Amino acid sequence: KAGVTQTPRYLIKTRGQQVTLSCSPISGHRSVSWYQQTPGQGLQFLFEYFSETQRNKGNFPGRFSGRQFSNSRSEMNVSTLELGDSALYLCASSQDGNYGYTFGSGTRLTIV
Amino acid sequence: GESVGLHLPTLSVQEGDNSIINCAYSNSASDYFIWYKQESGKGPQFIIDIRSNMDKRQGQRVTVLLNKTVKHLSLQIAATQPGDSAVYFCAENAGGTSYGKLTFGQGTILTVHP
């Protein structure tokens, strides 16, 4: 059974640009969560989507947004990129958002 | 301002030894706990989980112990192998409306010497 797929694997952007990252969950999983991982802050929760609705949100500025489609695939968008947004962005899928979270390999975003 | 990197605890063992990685959690409402292994350049890989109504759970070569009284979680790896070298994270979920939200520990670097 296919795992969680994140695209692209690597991305380089310049300050002020925006970026969209994609996550395809495990088949049958309806919950997708996003995390940011940096050496300074570790793994931090961004938001969670279930059935196209955001149910939970972490403490990130409004420049970070997301959405989920009817097939459960999810995208996250970061606008007006800052150097501090350089990180590994991970998504995790779960059947219901309560248990059994499986992570993808992440998108390494570098801001120059 | 200058950012300060996390100083991760480290554990160094010999191949074949048993390893114990510890984690303290702060939210007494947490009711679900997971251990993940993360290798360089990869996403966290599920190892084992436990719900708050249990105090011990075993998998293949791994055991998780949960002590809710002192809010402590541990991961025991039996007969540690070089392939076990990685960063290990504990994560907790508070249940209720904490959908999809895992709170992660800082991680522990495990190095296994052949």
Side-chain angles (χ1 to χ4, degrees), chain A residues 33 35 37 39 56 97 100-101, chain B residues 6 32 36 38 41 93 99-100 102:
Chain A
S33 301
Y35 292 81
Q37 186 174 25
N56 209 352
Y101 307 88
Chain B
L6 290 175
Y32 179 59
Y36 286 98
Q38 188 174 27
N93 178 273
Y99 304 114
L102 291 172

Side-chain angles (χ1 to χ4, degrees), chain A residues 13-16 36 38 63 80-87 89 109-112:
Chain A
K13 291 285 188 179
T14 57
R15 280 180 296 172
Q36 181 194 67
T38 61
R63 300 186 296 107
T80 319
L81 287 164
E82 301 176 359
L83 292 177
D85 297 332
S86 293
Y89 289 89
L109 175 63
T110 302
I111 312 304
V112 297

Side-chain angles (χ1 to χ4, degrees), chain B residues 26-74:
Chain B
S26 58
N27 188 351
S28 57
S30 291
D31 70 351
Y32 179 59
F33 304 86
I34 312 175
W35 280 99
Y36 286 98
K37 169 188 179 183
Q38 188 174 27
E39 297 173 289
S40 182
K42 298 184 179 180
Q45 176 188 349
F46 174 92
I47 301 172
I48 191 167
D49 59 1
I50 188 167
R51 299 190 189 187
S52 60
N53 60 353
M54 304 173 69
D55 53 21
K56 180 180 180 178
R57 190 159 187 236
Q58 290 183 289
Q60 187 175 10
R61 281 201 308 121
V62 295
T63 300
V64 55
L65 298 177
L66 175 63
N67 185 329
K68 294 181 290 293
T69 302
V70 296
K71 292 186 283 189
H72 183 267
L73 194 67
S74 69

Side-chain angles (χ1 to χ4, degrees), chain A residues 6-12 19-22 89 106-109:
Chain A
Q6 291 190 245
T7 57
R9 287 298 314 277
Y10 303 93
L11 207 47
I12 300 175
V19 67
T20 299
L21 312 181
S22 178
Y89 289 89
T107 294
R108 171 71 63 184
L109 175 63

Side-chain angles (χ1 to χ4, degrees), chain A residues 37-92:
Chain A
Q37 186 174 25
T38 61
Q41 300 297 323
L43 279 143
Q44 294 187 291
F45 172 76
L46 281 154
F47 30 65
E48 186 260 5
Y49 285 87
F50 182 86
S51 292
E52 302 179 65
T53 300
Q54 186 183 91
R55 294 192 299 183
N56 209 352
K57 189 176 188 305
N59 296 322
F60 277 83
R63 300 186 296 107
F64 292 82
S65 63
R67 59 177 175 168
Q68 187 181 35
F69 302 95
S70 58
N71 61 357
S72 295
R73 189 178 71 86
S74 178
E75 291 180 346
M76 68 163 281
N77 183 275
V78 188
S79 63
T80 319
L81 287 164
E82 301 176 359
L83 292 177
D85 297 332
S86 293
L88 180 65
Y89 289 89
L90 294 157
C91 77

